[in-house]
Amino acid sequence: MKPFRVGQIVPSSNITMETEIPALLRSRETIAPERFTFHSSRMRMRHVTKEELAAMDADSDRCALELSDAKVDVMGYACLVAIMSMGHGYHRASQERLQKVAAENECPSPVVSSAGALVDGIQAIGAKKVAVVAPYMKPLTEMVVDYIRNEGIEVSEWRALEISENLKVAAHDPMNLPAIVSSMKTDDVDAIVLSACVQMPSLAAVSMVEALTGKPVLTAAIATTWSMLRALKLDTRVPGGGTLLSGAF
């Protein structure tokens, strides 16, 4: 069986998405026959500011073109806040544009985004109200919360960790997340977004927070993996992937 080629468009300073998505898909390989290879193209970005995010997003077409040269089977735009900072619903326009770039280079592969995947994943599990943890500064976190709310999802509680340098986001210890969630009001939410950022590591804490709260827990990386598997028309059961990757959605 030919391995599926997974392409990722990532910020130049992102070191987590190329760790967590492969980890999830390697976990899936323990229970399913499909195999995956991973291929990335990078957009320049060091600090998570609106200005750098806009400049970075303008480079995403080049990345899609480069990945299409490798004839990847699915492509993921792995920066949630870059998409959400461009205005309500922008993930749809971005995905359509990047898919067109790839198709014009004879690579008609589906394109997903971490922003769209998170929204779709929340809706797929039937969550109407969520709590959100994000590493960004408060103004960017408010923008993310507003974007999610515009998609018809209530965000009743959110926490901004206020880390502006992207490499420092990656250095945040995921074992801090259970205590952060414990300090939030989550008794009335349907689900918890443990990391609304593809750079902030969280996989190691997902099962702990699900056990702690009794709520479904999802992250940007988990949602992107789920969306990629759906785009490839594959089963979405991934050990260690939380509720969304239980295979039920």
Side-chain angles (χ1 to χ4, degrees):
M1 179 185 294
K2 180 178 91 62
F4 288 95
R5 295 175 191 160
V6 176
Q8 294 197 73
I9 299 171
V10 297
S12 57
S13 51
N14 186 297
I15 57 173
T16 304
M17 208 59 169
E18 292 152 310
T19 303
E20 292 201 337
I21 284 189
L24 286 163
L25 292 176
R26 292 292 181 236
S27 178
R28 187 188 183 280
E29 288 178 350
T30 66
I31 61 163
E34 294 85 12
R35 297 295 179 261
F36 305 89
T37 62
F38 304 95
H39 315 275
S40 300
S41 182
R42 311 182 89 74
M43 312 168 285
R44 190 81 197 279
M45 190 270 282
R46 291 181 62 193
H47 296 92
V48 192
T49 64
K50 198 171 190 309
E51 294 73 25
E52 282 202 35
L53 291 169
M56 183 190 75
D57 181 69
D59 215 17
S60 60
D61 288 39
R62 172 189 57 79
C63 294
L65 187 62
E66 290 178 359
L67 289 171
S68 68
D69 284 343
K71 299 293 184 280
V72 295
D73 296 297
V74 65
M75 206 177 294
Y77 187 132
C79 187
L80 179 141
V81 71
I83 293 287
M84 291 190 176
S85 68
M86 297 294 286
H88 290 163
Y90 179 68
H91 66 275
R92 298 179 183 88
S94 172
Q95 288 166 204
E96 183 179 337
R97 189 184 74 248
L98 297 177
Q99 195 159 321
K100 183 180 178 185
V101 168
E104 288 176 350
N105 195 35
E106 300 177 352
C107 179
S109 56
V111 176
V112 305
S113 70
S114 51
L118 183 64
V119 168
D120 292 345
I122 292 169
Q123 293 172 337
I125 64 174
K128 307 291 186 188
K129 183 191 293 189
V130 298
V132 173
V133 181
Y136 318 119
M137 304 302 286
K138 282 185 178 176
L140 275 180
T141 304
E142 288 171 341
M143 193 180 303
V144 167
V145 167
D146 185 56
Y147 193 102
I148 294 170
R149 285 173 174 160
N150 186 66
E151 294 290 331
I153 300 159
E154 183 181 347
V155 180
S156 63
E157 177 86 343
W158 56 272
R159 186 66 48 85
L161 303 187
E162 300 197 86
I163 309 169
S164 66
E165 187 177 332
N166 210 30
L167 277 178
K168 289 184 178 176
V169 172
H172 184 265
D173 186 351
M175 291 300 99
N176 292 335
L177 291 170
I180 291 168
V181 172
S182 292
S183 71
M184 299 168 67
K185 186 176 185 298
T186 60
D187 57 307
D188 63 340
V189 303
D190 303 313
I192 295 164
V193 179
L194 192 60
S195 177
C197 174
V198 295
Q199 174 76 327
M200 186 169 75
S202 56
L203 273 186
V206 168
S207 60
M208 294 173 62
V209 176
E210 284 197 331
L212 177 73
T213 62
K215 308 281 184 177
V217 171
L218 67 163
T219 73
I222 283 172
T224 305
T225 303
W226 170 80
S227 191
M228 284 177 164
L229 288 170
R230 281 169 50 88
L232 292 170
K233 297 180 169 54
L234 297 177
D235 178 75
T236 59
R237 185 161 71 94
V238 177
T243 298
L244 184 60
L245 288 173
S246 65
F249 305 100

